[in-house]
Amino acid sequence: MAEERPAKWGLVVDLDRCTGCNACIAACSMENNVPFVGEDEVAYGRALYWIRTQRYWEGEYPAVTPTFQPVMCQQCGNAPCEPVCPVYASVHSEEEQINLAVYNRCVGTRYCANNCPYFARVFNWFDYELPEPMRSYLNPDVTVRRRGVMEKCTFCVQRIVRGRQKARAEGRELRDGEIQPACVQACPAEALVFGDLSDPESRVSQLARSQRRYHLLEELGTLPRVTYLKGVGNHGG
Amino acid sequence: MQVKKPWWQSGGVRIALALVLLILFGGAVSGIYLSQIPPEQPIAFPHKTHVALGAQCTYCHPAAAWGPNAGLPGISKCWGCHQQVQKKSPELEKLAGYVQRNEPIPWVPVAIQPDFVKFNHQPHVQAGIACETCHGPVSQMTVALPQPRQNMGWCLDCHQRMRPNDFVRLSDCATCHY
């Protein structure tokens, strides 16, 4: 059996490449059974998305250009959401080095979301029923959340666990790029790169050492696992 | 003037009575919880007969060796033998009916965990754990019986016992809940 090395999963978002197409959001919602809440609920501020694209305008009208920044859970190494949960539903995974939302443990106090500086956590305000044929689209690998449960980006932990179990079954180590969350898989511009940060040779580690790197709200000391590469306007944008 | 209360209205008797009722009720609830009432199946499939014939578990539940779900056999697998088996019985008439209509048999799940638990057979089978460790003496069962008390503590106890060095991975919430 291959020697085990605990992974430290990380994501790099290259803002030079992001075109703001929102394919990551669609892929994420389909993969993770994120319900579509409808326009009215969104207007009440009850939108359910695990990724959002923040759009900024640069320049003065008419010479304005948009820039986009996809924001998902930053999987902080020092996460503000974790110590505030009264029932330990928001826990740190020692194995995968990410933050978990254990849905069946959650009682819906929403402390975690209120303490999240990235607004990455969303709440199921209602049970969102799916019309009949749509139920067949649900991903059986992901729990369908109930009303009153907090949820967020998990780095598609179902894919991480499956990939790890598959590699163990075949008695080999995981290959770089073998595990891809849905958003990374869907990104047409390859703006998102996922991999193991503990391996200095992996593609994600190499990109995370780029000079353009920065973390969101770095000054808070949350040690995010998501690294952004500043857009410098070389590739459009 | 103090009216003497009848004996059944005195506090002590009432508390004692409430306690007795509570114990009886608790016993009934745990009895129901621990009993192995098998659900009604479309065909009373006898594991005993088939395992005694020498059919391996993995002949009918092959995916246990490589996937998360063990899987149930389809009608073509039953019919592969029962086309030849001469015996006639009401249960086998039902089987012939499904085969004629080319319908899958709507088996009722027996060994089932809640939706939020992600079990995977493959690592367990690969670790050499016998099916009977978790599913009870299936080779003696006339119908598949549910096993009581297969809760989170049961999973974690075994993980700690069998893989103490890997317990960080095997007790991580993300291993079983996502």
Side-chain angles (χ1 to χ4, degrees), chain A residues 160-224:
Chain A
I160 298 178
V161 172
R162 278 281 180 277
R164 175 162 54 71
Q165 289 175 353
K166 188 160 173 278
R168 280 178 69 84
E170 294 168 10
R172 58 173 172 83
E173 283 207 39
L174 278 170
R175 286 184 289 269
D176 185 29
E178 183 177 347
I179 294 179
Q180 283 193 328
C183 54
V184 176
Q185 194 180 14
C187 182
E190 284 191 51
L192 303 167
V193 177
F194 184 79
D196 186 354
L197 288 173
S198 67
D199 171 9
E201 296 309 313
S202 69
R203 191 159 161 241
V204 73
S205 298
Q206 287 173 9
L207 284 172
R209 287 195 295 267
S210 153
Q211 300 215 322
R212 295 188 286 138
R213 72 171 181 272
Y214 73 99
H215 292 139
L216 291 187
L217 304 181
E218 213 166 340
E219 66 278 14
L220 296 180
T222 52
L223 308 177

Side-chain angles (χ1 to χ4, degrees), chain B residues 105-128:
Chain B
I105 307 171
W107 299 113
V108 183
V110 180
I112 190 164
Q113 289 287 341
D115 180 37
F116 53 75
V117 178
K118 308 295 173 194
F119 180 78
N120 188 349
H121 274 91
Q122 188 275 330
H124 297 95
V125 174
Q126 195 181 355

Side-chain angles (χ1 to χ4, degrees), chain A:
Chain A
M1 174 122 332
E3 190 55 44
E4 293 268 332
R5 182 170 41 81
K8 187 172 151 192
W9 301 109
L11 182 68
V12 165
V13 185
D14 189 340
L15 297 183
D16 251 349
R17 286 172 171 266
C18 177
T19 63
C21 73
N22 288 357
C24 50
I25 302 180
C28 171
S29 297
M30 294 311 288
E31 166 76 15
N32 292 298
N33 300 338
V34 181
F36 294 92
V37 297
E39 258 174 71
D40 291 350
E41 289 296 304
V42 173
Y44 279 116
R46 297 173 189 159
L48 277 180
Y49 295 112
W50 288 7
I51 312 178
R52 62 178 189 276
T53 20
Q54 296 189 156
R55 186 189 56 197
Y56 301 98
W57 295 109
E58 277 172 11
E60 285 294 315
Y61 181 82
V64 285
T65 46
T67 59
F68 302 99
Q69 185 180 45
V71 181
M72 67 296 289
C73 171
Q74 307 288 305
Q75 311 289 358
C76 307
N78 185 9
C81 55
E82 284 166 2
V84 294
C85 180
V87 296
Y88 303 106
S90 175
V91 286
H92 205 73
S93 164
E94 296 300 327
E95 177 65 21
E96 321 292 353
Q97 293 292 325
I98 57 175
N99 314 110
L100 303 175
V102 184
Y103 309 126
N104 46 338
R105 186 75 187 163
C106 177
V107 297
T109 63
R110 291 181 276 133
Y111 288 167
C112 54
N114 290 331
N115 216 28
C116 173
Y118 305 105
F119 299 103
R121 289 175 165 260
V122 287
F123 190 65
N124 284 274
W125 290 91
F126 300 102
D127 278 323
Y128 302 98
E129 289 297 326
L130 282 171
E132 199 22 69
M134 293 300 286
R135 287 197 66 83
S136 321
Y137 283 80
L138 290 176
N139 181 354
D141 283 345
V142 180
T143 313
V144 177
R145 278 82 56 186
R146 288 193 305 177
R147 185 181 65 174
V149 171
M150 193 56 80
E151 61 184 57
K152 68 165 188 82
C153 161
T154 60
F155 270 180
C156 285
V157 65
Q158 69 277 9
R159 294 187 177 203
I160 298 178
V161 172
R162 278 281 180 277
R164 175 162 54 71
Q165 289 175 353
K166 188 160 173 278
R168 280 178 69 84
E170 294 168 10
R172 58 173 172 83
E173 283 207 39
L174 278 170
R175 286 184 289 269
D176 185 29
E178 183 177 347
I179 294 179
Q180 283 193 328
C183 54
V184 176
Q185 194 180 14
C187 182
E190 284 191 51
L192 303 167
V193 177
F194 184 79
D196 186 354
L197 288 173
S198 67
D199 171 9
E201 296 309 313
S202 69
R203 191 159 161 241
V204 73
S205 298
Q206 287 173 9
L207 284 172
R209 287 195 295 267
S210 153
Q211 300 215 322
R212 295 188 286 138
R213 72 171 181 272
Y214 73 99
H215 292 139
L216 291 187
L217 304 181
E218 213 166 340
E219 66 278 14
L220 296 180
T222 52
L223 308 177
R225 294 271 185 275
V226 182
T227 308
Y228 287 83
L229 302 185
K230 192 172 184 317
V232 290
N234 287 350
H235 306 284

Side-chain angles (χ1 to χ4, degrees), chain B residues 3-130:
Chain B
V3 183
K4 195 176 182 306
K5 281 192 204 154
W7 62 269
W8 67 86
Q9 279 188 5
S10 77
V13 171
R14 288 196 167 184
I15 289 172
L17 206 67
L19 276 178
V20 168
L21 282 177
L22 203 69
I23 289 166
L24 286 177
F25 181 70
V29 167
S30 54
I32 291 169
Y33 176 67
L34 292 179
S35 66
Q36 300 177 305
I37 302 170
E40 187 89 33
Q41 296 287 357
I43 299 177
F45 171 81
H47 268 90
K48 199 176 167 181
T49 325
H50 291 87
V51 177
L53 286 168
Q56 298 292 315
C57 309
T58 42
Y59 175 70
C60 289
H61 307 292
W66 68 76
N69 299 109
L72 295 180
I75 45 172
S76 53
K77 199 167 269 178
C78 312
W79 205 235
C81 282
H82 278 278
Q83 210 170 13
Q84 271 99 43
V85 176
Q86 296 301 321
K87 182 166 181 179
K88 290 280 164 286
S89 80
E91 294 301 321
L92 289 174
E93 288 300 316
K94 285 192 219 162
L95 174 63
Y98 283 112
V99 174
Q100 246 160 34
R101 280 170 276 140
N102 196 19
E103 271 177 20
I105 307 171
W107 299 113
V108 183
V110 180
I112 190 164
Q113 289 287 341
D115 180 37
F116 53 75
V117 178
K118 308 295 173 194
F119 180 78
N120 188 349
H121 274 91
Q122 188 275 330
H124 297 95
V125 174
Q126 195 181 355
I129 303 169

